[in-house]
Every structure is written in structure tokens, then in C-alpha cells.
Amino acid sequence: MDRDLTFDADLAALAWQLELGADVALGETPVNRYDAAAPTAPAAPPAGAARPVATGPAPAAAPDTSDAVRAASEAAAQAPSLEALRGAMAAFEHCELKRGAKSLVFADGLPGARVMVVGEAPGRDEDIEGRPFVGRAGQLLDRMFAAIGLSRTAADPAQALYITNVMVWRPPQNREPTPDEVAMLLPFLQRHIALADPAVIVVMGNTPLSALLRAKGITRLRGQWAEALGKPVLPMLHPAYLLRNPAAKREAWADLLCLKARLRMNG
Ligand code: URA
């Protein structure tokens, strides 16, 4: 790197990195954090040298997700409380996302609230703060629910929200979680819902829609009540989608009114 760069040029280079989407500072030498104790790679053999013949054990097969799903199901079933469930997730070592994330983003709001919101996964802001939906999409989510009298800070379960995500660890670069990652955390989400015991679940976006309802196509299915785990579920457009497509706020408003009507009907 050119060490003679001026302060302004350094700043501009940094701004450009941010523009490109860089959100973490890296050292100049790569570090394999998945394998901290890995021996350094042997020097490449000189050109033309015979390739060494592998004599060690065969490379490990790709991890079998069914083991992870089984471990998650057992751990989740044994959690008698939300606090215990959080601890069980913190001790769960099968999900690689955990190694790249700063926080386990478990939930926010009032456990026992009438409405439980399930989003996709923490983003950068959520990973830093350790709470779901605190970035721009989260601020929009708060405004949306405030418009029908619901808030994550309310003390009365009838006006409160309880908020979580399918994934508790941030996927790198905010990529979509893979089906395997969703499958291994689903038993925890199911237990989370059973313990929080909301009257109604709102699923925001495609990831919780397919995790809980095994359905695809949030733009088609939004606003249509369904049922999961014995509870009514309302699929809604994700607030991040609404930030990108402000015209769709009309549909989101219709869904919020539909939620409000259902809550009023149920007393
Ligand atoms: N998007 C989500 O789905 N969840 C969050 O917590 C933040 C953004």
C-alpha cells in the first residue's frame, strides 16, 4: 500500500470502501478464524517436483445437517424458559454463522405480548447492538406498529410486541440464510414461540414465511391469515422491502389494519 497517501486521500479511499459495502476492518494478512490453530500452509513444491501422495485420513465429509437439527431439537425441547432457551442457543455449536457474528440476537420487547413478530436475520446494526430490528428497517417497523397502537416498549401485553428473527446470528454481508441454516435453527424458533405464547404471529418477509408456513411468495401471500403451531399467522412485507419499494407501503398498511381488526375482534 502507498504509505504517502495524504489524510484526505485516505479518507476518500475509506469512504469508497464503505460505498462498496465494506463494513468491517480487515488486517493486511488473511486470518482463517474457522481454524485458528491451522498450521501454516507448506511452501509450494518447486515446479516439476513430484506431488506428495496423501497418506492421512480422507477429508471429512460435508457436515450432516440432520445431526445439527437433532441436536437443536433436543436442546430446544429441554429449555423450560426463554432465558434457558437463550442459553441453549448460545451453547449451540453447529451453526457456522455464530463464528462470524458478534452477538446472539435473541429477542426484544415484552415476552407474553399478544403479537410476536418474526423477521429474517440480524443485520449489521442488530449484530452490534444485540437486539433485533434496530437499524433503518427496524425503525420503520416500529413506526408501522405504532400506527396501530403496538410497541416493543409497552408494558401491557395487549399493546406490546415481542420481536425475534428466524436466525439469531448475522449472515455475512447480510446474505440470505441457507435452507440448512434455517432448518437447524427452526426447532429453537418453534420453542421460542411456544414459550412466548403470543396470540398472533406476524411473519415479515420470505424467510420466516417459508420457515414457519412452508410457503413461498410473500408478495402473493401477504395479508392472508394462515396457521402455524396452533396460532394465527399473518404474513407481511418486510420493512426492508418497503424501504426499497415505498409504493408497497399501501399493502403494508392494509395488513396492519387487518391485524388491528383481528386483535379487536379477539378482545
Ligand atoms: N431485518 C430482519 O429481518 N431482522 C432484523 O433484526 C433486522 C433486519
Side-chain angles (χ1 to χ4, degrees), residues 1-252:
M1 187 186 284
D2 182 354
R3 297 276 159 216
D4 294 333
L5 285 177
T6 64
F7 174 80
D8 287 344
D10 277 346
L11 203 58
L14 195 56
W16 176 235
Q17 292 295 318
L18 290 172
E19 192 69 28
L20 292 175
D23 58 2
V24 287
L26 298 176
E28 289 188 5
T29 319
V31 178
N32 182 353
R33 298 193 190 281
Y34 289 102
D35 192 5
T40 45
R51 285 169 153 277
V53 179
T55 52
D64 181 355
T65 328
S66 60
D67 285 349
V69 175
R70 205 171 308 119
S73 301
E74 284 169 16
Q78 283 165 20
S81 65
L82 290 170
E83 208 37 54
L85 185 67
R86 193 186 197 293
M89 298 191 85
F92 186 69
E93 296 297 340
H94 294 270
C95 184
E96 287 298 321
L97 295 181
K98 179 180 183 180
R99 310 198 208 300
K102 174 174 179 284
S103 310
L104 187 165
V105 178
F106 185 67
D108 198 17
L110 186 73
R114 217 153 41 128
V115 177
M116 179 164 180
V117 175
V118 182
E120 177 178 305
R124 179 174 179 271
D125 296 317
E126 290 76 20
D127 187 39
I128 291 171
E129 261 200 51
R131 292 194 300 131
F133 281 106
V134 293
R136 273 185 76 220
Q139 287 156 23
L140 176 57
L141 178 142
D142 284 342
R143 289 198 299 277
M144 287 163 64
F145 283 97
I148 57 162
L150 299 177
S151 153
R152 66 172 99 190
T153 56
D156 177 353
Q159 271 110 51
L161 288 177
Y162 184 62
I163 305 175
T164 190
N165 283 307
V166 175
M167 310 305 299
V168 290
W169 293 290
R170 179 195 182 194
Q173 276 78 49
N174 297 344
R175 67 156 168 76
E176 244 181 66
T178 66
D180 280 354
E181 288 163 351
V182 171
M184 69 177 78
L185 294 195
L186 184 58
F188 290 114
L189 176 63
Q190 290 167 333
R191 184 74 182 136
H192 201 158
I193 291 169
L195 290 167
D197 196 21
V200 168
I201 301 168
V202 175
V203 293
M204 310 220 74
N206 268 315
T207 299
L209 176 72
S210 67
L212 287 176
L213 295 175
R214 308 230 151 272
K216 276 192 171 33
I218 191 69
T219 48
R220 186 171 46 88
L221 296 175
R222 55 139 281 272
Q224 298 181 34
W225 286 97
E227 198 183 294
L229 309 169
K231 298 188 181 292
V233 177
L234 180 65
M236 283 188 60
L237 297 170
H238 194 286
Y241 175 86
L242 298 175
L243 288 172
R244 294 192 303 271
N245 303 276
K249 285 183 185 169
R250 196 143 65 115
E251 275 97 62

